[in-house]
Amino acid sequence: MNNGRKRAAQQPPAPPQPSKHIATEMPMEEEYMDEDVFIEQNLVDEDQLILRDMEDREALANRLHKWKRPLLCSGYHSESQNIVFQQLEIDYMIGESHKGLMPNSSGSTAIIRIFGVTKEGNSVCCNVHGFEPYFYISCPPGMGPDDISRFHQILEGRMREANKSNKFSVPKFILRIELVQKKSIMYYQQHSSQPFLKIVVALPTLVASCRGILDKGIQIDGLGMKSFMTYESNVLFVLRFMIDCKIVGGNWIEVPAHKYKKSTKSLSYSQFEFDCLYSDLISHVPEGEFSKMAPFRILSFDIECAGRKGLFPDAKYDPVIQIANLVTLQGEEQPFVRNVMTLKSCSPIVGVDVMSFDTEREVLLAWRDFIREVDPDIIIGYNICKFDLPYLIERAETLKIAEFPILGRIRNSRTRVRDTSFSSRQYGTRESKEVTLEGRVQFDLLQAMQRDYKLSSYSLNSVSAHFLNEQKEDVHHSIISDLQNGNPETRRRLAVYCLKDAYLPQRLLDKLMYIYNYVEMARVTGVPISFLLARGQSIKVLSQLLRKAKQKNLVLPNVKQAGSEQGTYEGATVLEPRAGFYEKPIATLDFASLYPSIMMAYNLCYCTLVTPEDVRKLNLPPECVNKTPSGEIFVKSNLQKGILPEILEELLAARRRAKADLKEAKDPLVKAVLDGRQLALKISANSVYGFTGATIGQLPCLEISSSVTSYGRQMIEHTKKLVEDKFTTLNGFEHKAEVIYGDTDSVMVQFGVQTVDDAMKLGREAADYISGTFIKPIKLEFEKVYFPYLLISKKRYAGLYWTNPDKFDKMDTKGIETVRRDNCLLVKNLVTECLNKILIDRDIPGAVQYVKNTISDLLMNRMDLSLLVITKGLTKSGEDYDVKAAHVELAERMRKRDAATAPNVGDRVPYVIVKAAKGAKAYERSEDPIYVLENNIPIDPQYYLENQISKPLLRIFDPILKNASRELLHGSHTRAISISTPSNSGIMKFAKKQLSCVGCKALISNKDQTLCSHCKGREAELYCKTVDNVSELEKLFGRLWTQCQECQGSLHQDVLCTSRDCPIFYRRKKAQKDMAEAKVQLDRWNF
Amino acid sequence: MTAMDVDTGALQRKQSLYKSMDEIFEIQKEMYKGQQYSQIYYIRLHLIRTLIYSLLPNWKPHLPVCTVLGLEEGKECIIVGTLYKHMKLKPTILSEYSKERSATPLVSPDNFVHPDDSLVLEDESGRVNLKGNVLSPSVYVTGNVVALHGKETGGGDFFVEDLLEAGLPPQLDLPNKSGEDKYVVLVSGLNVGSSSSNPLQLQLLVDHITGHLGDKKEQHSAAQIVQVVVAGNSVQIQHGLLNGQNLASKDQSKLSEPIKELDIFLTQIAAGIPIDIMAGYNDPANFALPQQPLNRCLFPGSSAYNTFRSCTNPHLFDVDNVRFLGTSGQNIDDLNKYSEAKDTLEFMERTLRWRHLAPTAPNTLGCYPFTDRDPFFIESCPHVYFVGNQDKYATRIIKGSEGQVVRLISVPKFSETGIAVMVNLKNLECSTLSFAVQISS
């Protein structure tokens, strides 16, 4: 399913400026809570339902059978062979404790389930027993063993009271309370440890409930009402388990022979299910043999549904008509299963298994059987989380197919959908749906795209154009129903389209190495793969912090959410840019991983921060502490080595190792893993700083983050001063160096030399010299030279990028790439072309002339309409918008014209601004480009001149030209204006059409003539002009229409595509129309 | 240059019977009404497939014929369909929109063939990838209709074992000649107005043809010329001038000067001999094939003669019942970009065997979106098949299995080589007229 819906992929609300001035740039995630799921809760009495129409489906079953996983090795059944598997998904459920493994316990308990795949491609489900949820509180001074048992009783009582209404069948809520020696991570402390109480509870959700009681305060005999600070009480149970067992996301786990027991009643659809104790698990570090990937199965699918004309498909009414599936083994290039399930007959497709059914019910059930049979480990698609999966489930509900939604790996467990919203400073708030598919990882490429790339549009079409360099055919949803209602051939057409849409996510996944990158990210940060897409940055840092803290015997306090009033702190420094066009090479000095380096150099950490109180009390010698420019005190590493610096050191060392290995590696698969790893390590290192600055995060500490930025500022200033002091004529250099701009972690220097080579030499010299003045590992590196360089303002510049003196690498632009999609293509083309002319051709007059020509073309109505189309997403219906917007008004108007093709909520609305009565608002002047083409409606060139192109142009030309505005926007080239006559406006209906002379437009009375008597002498010239116009259009017509044939992959069928995201869609339409007109003009000469 | 009959023994120019069959290439009533290119492919497939089906009983009668849809894995069969060539280097209009313009502009190569190119066979029902060594992707192009013998292997591929083309069309017998030599002159690429064109050289050609040059013997042979055909690219006009704005009077003359000059040359010829002028790539004509005749208003002088004929490109005509088929070169030039052969004549031969004059149209060669016919389908085999505006003069006779004999001629650009080609109607023998002018400064 695609078109409308995937076009609906909405732009997240504009993310805040990537400025580091705001303290809270980290996600303000809502706290994720454990949710106890009881086995019985979601069970369906499946056997009965399934047996009902068993015979009908036997034929289908035979068809599906061939895609089964390879046979299970017999050594598992006899429990005589070690099981080694790569885990992809870990969750837990509440069940009866295992009698065989845990003879001493009874009642409900949390059982961890690990789903994974063995090297041979067998799916396994490992039920881990015996791991208990717990957290810490600091032990009140003077508490003895007796006090603890009394405290235990009181707490148990309070718990019983608080959970009265719950149906837990646990004999005890608090299993035990142990006295342990730990230390809080917060603040520098001289003592090595102090007593803490470890409270072990029966079920994971009881952690939160118990924390609530302790937070509020509890009456203890002898101590009175006392509230407790809890530690590590916000750690998800699964994460707790992984940390304690040293399991990281996506690594290999081994269970030795005889240590596991084959489950007597298997609860999952995995090939092999077994029980074991958590203490028997062996977790392998992802290195060597264990850095590889198991051959897991990736299912990529797409659905089509037949919507009603003019309405967004609704699962209550609109049937699912096709489901296309592709299954690929990880590491292989081609899918080994390609099939499509269709409602009603469908002609065969070469290389694809077409399965047709008479009822929708059969289609849905076939898909369910297919999922079960193929048993995919990862399910991918485009917008599947928000559209395809929920739609299937809701549709089954509407059709009352109770047995459909058993898609997960747990036998009889119903797949559930619930609304979630994910909100983060970085990614904005996103409404989403969470579909529970136990044991299968969902990977929605749309979510990944929105997360990892800043694109002007997230439609599948533009994403594949961007990454795969090909346009996707887009069938308008109003046509889908027609194709479905046609014959087997038209349904086949639809199926081919559906298959293509199912294949694109897989190709994107391969192209962007998503599997490698995400698995490596999971391994580096230690969280399950499913966390990476569904959650923000901070859980990753938290996971690393907890792991490190555990090694050091430290515990993390659960800080009350302080709210945002904690305020902001000063961010990075931007040296005021000296705007201008520099025609001498500009060397750029960069700090390598500046913020991580600062944290390491100055030992900034939670556990090295000295509270103002302690500064007075402890009386630390000045040589043992650093006072940061923002005034905080941190001890040096000889007193206490920080945890954050240690994490960072490890991350950066691991990255260096990965990069070194990458150089050595030959095998492309190994390379992919290593590259993914070094990238993950880099991202992780950079996110540590942000974690400390997230005021609504897990463990904010503004003292650290503000110190980091203050050091950063100091370093930029310091660099500027050193460069300008040393590289002067006084010191024997030819020119005086000037720092023209600096931002966050880089400084741009003009050394005054003429050649790139000289600038590089001086750049290297400066970097080495200045690096010497910093504490390790802070290092200034020389990376590149810009030449020429156009500096416009803060964070806006363009230049040619040189890393070797012979040839420039590319053109680099910041802040002026007008990728914003509310601009029309003309702006982008104009800006790019101007920059090319200015920077590459070094032809400023040429650029000016180009701008003038373009403006003249615009005013003379010679502009290709497709360049003027502006597109905006319709996110809600008209009444819900507070301000009148052009695209919303247009959508309303189009609905009045023709409800079937009018854009719906979620669609993107393309429009152009047309001429209208004086004083009409822009939103009243928006019009559908197709309508404009068909009716010759004049566009409003002034609007485009003033509201679209003038600002970006002036930005570029202001530093270059004097009076840029007068020169470019008001010159003589703006005098001639031509406006086309509309063909169907009201007044034109009264006008009489008369032929005019092709040469001078004088009216001709005799309609057999082409020219008036005055122009007769210029006949040859005028004919050449007409025929040349025809010839150009024919060229264009041919290229455009054959391109569309190419995209749709068929020569013998008409092009149906209506992808408005495609750059040539309007051109194609226009060429067709212009061609027809030009031919009529040409035919006049034949009289 | 008045009359040529000075003596009493005046030479008489020989006469011939001329019949034009250009109507199939004419676009009169047809309009652009939103039709697409699928129809022309459909018609082509239909025409050639019917033909190929009739050949199958003599080729491999034992094999079943399938459609792409009807393929079954492992079953040997014959399928007939249109080829489509995936080409890595093929330029696309979408690249205009690609994100980054590379720092060094892409030099467009003359030939887009790449070792990774692969072929696909398509009929109305679907597509199938072609594998095997029998079918060379460098020979075939998108738009060819062929029959393939082979079988489907797993994964939607078709392993090709043998292939059948439509072959040379049937030919009318060459009229049995009384032994009289008559010549048709073929010339192309006059390029009047271009820097390479030399007016003196052209004047020599005209003078020779009209019998104003040389001695009696030469004049005698000139008198045997019965027809002149100008195969495209006769003038070069500056397209930069035609940007839609009104021209300054200076530019007006720049534009019309070469056309006037050409008209003068043509008038001289038309005064004595029938002359056909075909439109070419550079001429003031439409771009898409079939190119329509150059408008008479361009030639006020020569068009007054009834010996002057402005013709379509491709051009099909009989002279004394010898059938000529020719183009101004676009069809072969395009094949040269998208496939490989050892010379122009081989490309020409292929088009005859494929039974199609311009298989790459519309895919890479501009073409009118016909809805009811494919004018490039070659129904009957010409005796002379010529292509204009080539780099070199070359000629060869090919013979078909049913006794067809075709004279292939690659006509070079006159402005660059000074060569015109003479074809003898009696025996289809070819000779060249070569004019060289040395201008000393």
Side-chain angles (χ1 to χ4, degrees), chain A residues 338 347-352 465-467 469-471 489 492 807-811 825 828-829 832-833 836-837 840-841 856 860 862 864 866-867 999 1018-1028 1030-1032 1034-1043 1045-1056 1062-1064 1067-1068 1072 1075-1076 1079-1080 1082-1083 1085-1086, chain B residues 27-39 41-42 45 68-71 81-84 90-104 122-129 142-143 152 155-157 237 239 241-247 252 255-256 259 281 283-289 293-295 297-298 362-364 366-369:
Chain A
R338 299 160 200 257
S347 304
I349 302 166
V350 181
V352 175
H466 189 267
F467 292 106
N469 247 331
E470 55 189 65
Q471 290 289 332
E489 278 299 317
R492 174 181 184 278
K807 197 175 160 295
F808 65 86
D809 303 55
K810 60 175 179 184
M811 184 160 84
L825 207 55
K828 199 178 139 202
N829 288 2
T832 326
E833 193 56 39
N836 275 328
K837 285 200 190 300
I840 298 177
D841 305 343
S856 166
M860 290 297 290
R862 287 193 300 256
D864 176 5
S866 58
L867 295 177
R1018 293 166 56 209
E1019 198 172 11
E1021 171 216 332
L1022 291 169
Y1023 177 76
C1024 283
K1025 243 160 87 175
T1026 315
V1027 82
D1028 195 65
V1030 169
S1031 157
E1032 288 301 316
E1034 281 177 342
K1035 248 179 238 176
L1036 196 62
F1037 181 90
R1039 292 183 68 195
L1040 291 167
W1041 283 91
T1042 51
Q1043 179 59 51
Q1045 286 193 316
E1046 205 127 305
C1047 278
Q1048 76 162 353
S1050 161
L1051 300 173
H1052 296 100
Q1053 280 166 321
D1054 270 354
V1055 175
L1056 291 180
C1062 175
I1064 66 173
R1067 271 182 96 181
R1068 190 183 81 191
Q1072 203 170 36
M1075 193 64 240
K1079 174 85 170 32
V1080 170
L1082 186 66
D1083 285 348
W1085 295 84
N1086 287 343
Chain B
I27 302 170
Q28 291 291 344
K29 297 272 156 21
E30 278 121 332
M31 295 306 246
Y32 283 84
K33 281 184 198 140
Q35 70 269 45
Q36 303 187 4
Y37 283 130
S38 54
Q39 276 115 327
Y41 279 116
Y42 188 83
L45 175 64
V68 168
L69 267 191
L71 287 175
T82 310
L83 289 177
Y84 174 82
K90 183 182 167 187
T92 137
I93 193 162
L94 289 173
S95 59
E96 283 177 22
Y97 300 91
S98 64
K99 291 150 280 167
E100 270 170 50
R101 220 178 61 159
S102 56
T104 45
E122 178 178 329
D123 62 12
E124 307 93 320
S125 66
R127 279 188 170 190
V128 62
N129 292 323
T142 299
E152 193 204 332
D157 292 339
I237 48 175
H239 285 267
L241 295 174
L242 299 164
N243 60 359
Q245 270 165 329
N246 280 332
L247 296 181
Q252 279 181 20
L255 184 73
S256 49
I259 302 175
Y281 178 76
D283 291 320
N286 64 324
F287 165 81
L289 292 184
L294 294 167
N295 198 290
C297 74
L298 299 169
N363 191 39
T364 47
C367 146
Y368 179 84

Side-chain angles (χ1 to χ4, degrees), chain B residues 59-71:
Chain B
W59 189 49
K60 304 205 168 173
H62 56 287
L63 288 173
V65 180
C66 280
T67 60
V68 168
L69 267 191
L71 287 175

Side-chain angles (χ1 to χ4, degrees), chain A residues 73-343:
Chain A
C73 154
S74 61
Y76 295 159
H77 290 293
S78 56
E79 299 172 10
S80 62
Q81 188 180 344
N82 293 7
I83 298 184
V84 187
F85 62 96
Q86 184 182 10
Q87 49 86 12
L88 288 172
E89 175 78 342
I90 303 184
D91 66 1
Y92 76 93
M93 55 155 183
I94 309 299
E96 286 299 304
S97 58
H98 195 278
K99 291 278 170 328
L101 291 164
M102 316 252 308
N104 298 331
S105 48
S106 63
S108 294
T109 176
I111 302 166
I112 303 259
R113 289 187 301 217
I114 309 179
F115 297 93
V117 182
T118 65
K119 195 160 88 236
E120 295 79 24
N122 296 129
S123 61
V124 298
C125 170
C126 171
N127 295 321
V128 184
H129 298 266
F131 189 77
E132 295 159 330
Y134 66 87
F135 65 99
Y136 301 97
I137 55 171
S138 53
C139 178
M143 216 174 189
D146 291 349
D147 300 323
I148 293 174
S149 78
R150 200 162 56 241
F151 174 64
H152 186 163
Q153 275 165 23
I154 296 168
L155 197 56
E156 178 76 28
R158 291 290 304 273
M159 285 292 282
R160 199 161 293 280
E161 208 174 301
N163 291 298
K164 254 200 308 241
S165 54
N166 291 342
K167 54 198 174 328
F168 305 136
S169 63
V170 284
K172 279 199 292 184
F173 285 92
I174 311 288
L175 296 181
R176 59 189 180 278
I177 297 179
E178 296 163 15
L179 186 66
V180 289
Q181 292 294 317
K182 295 268 174 191
K183 186 167 142 183
S184 168
I185 196 173
M186 285 310 290
Y187 305 121
Y188 171 66
Q189 296 160 39
Q190 282 176 320
H191 46 256
S192 60
S193 64
Q194 60 190 84
F196 276 83
L197 296 179
K198 177 178 176 181
I199 301 178
V200 183
V201 295
L203 297 175
T205 36
L206 296 177
V207 171
S209 145
C210 192
R211 179 184 63 204
I213 291 166
L214 291 166
D215 272 346
K216 272 201 218 90
I218 174 168
Q219 186 76 35
I220 302 175
D221 298 344
L223 288 167
M225 189 70 174
K226 190 155 172 45
S227 68
F228 291 86
M229 164 79 104
T230 61
Y231 291 81
E232 305 189 3
S233 57
N234 55 347
V235 183
L236 293 174
F237 183 58
V238 167
L239 194 59
R240 177 86 269 167
F241 160 75
M242 291 173 74
I243 290 166
D244 289 5
C245 293
K246 297 197 174 58
I247 293 172
V248 294
N251 75 336
W252 289 80
I253 290 178
E254 183 164 356
V255 187
H258 309 300
K259 294 284 189 187
Y260 62 90
K261 295 204 162 28
K262 184 172 184 298
S263 300
T264 42
K265 181 172 180 281
S266 97
L267 290 169
S268 83
Y269 291 118
S270 295
Q271 280 180 297
F272 190 65
E273 184 175 339
F274 59 94
D275 296 270
C276 67
L277 281 176
Y278 83 95
S279 46
D280 289 331
L281 293 178
I282 302 168
S283 168
H284 289 285
V285 180
E287 275 166 9
E289 195 55 23
F290 294 114
S291 71
K292 297 206 171 141
M293 302 274 175
F296 33 83
R297 296 184 156 201
I298 303 168
L299 164 72
S300 181
F301 82 103
D302 184 43
I303 69 170
E304 298 294 336
C305 31
R308 291 148 298 149
K309 294 264 182 217
L311 291 169
F312 193 85
D314 184 335
K316 287 207 171 52
Y317 308 99
D318 303 317
V320 172
I321 52 177
Q322 296 195 337
I323 309 177
N325 304 290
L326 293 159
V327 187
T328 315
L329 274 187
Q330 167 58 29
E332 302 214 338
E333 275 175 27
Q334 293 292 326
F336 71 99
V337 176
R338 299 160 200 257
N339 67 29
V340 60
M341 294 154 184
T342 64
L343 179 61

Side-chain angles (χ1 to χ4, degrees), chain B residues 128-153:
Chain B
V128 62
N129 292 323
L130 302 179
K131 294 278 145 79
N133 303 324
V134 176
L135 200 61
S136 162
S138 69
V139 170
Y140 292 90
V141 292
T142 299
N144 287 144
V145 178
V146 292
L148 300 175
H149 160 209
K151 59 183 171 213
E152 193 204 332
T153 57

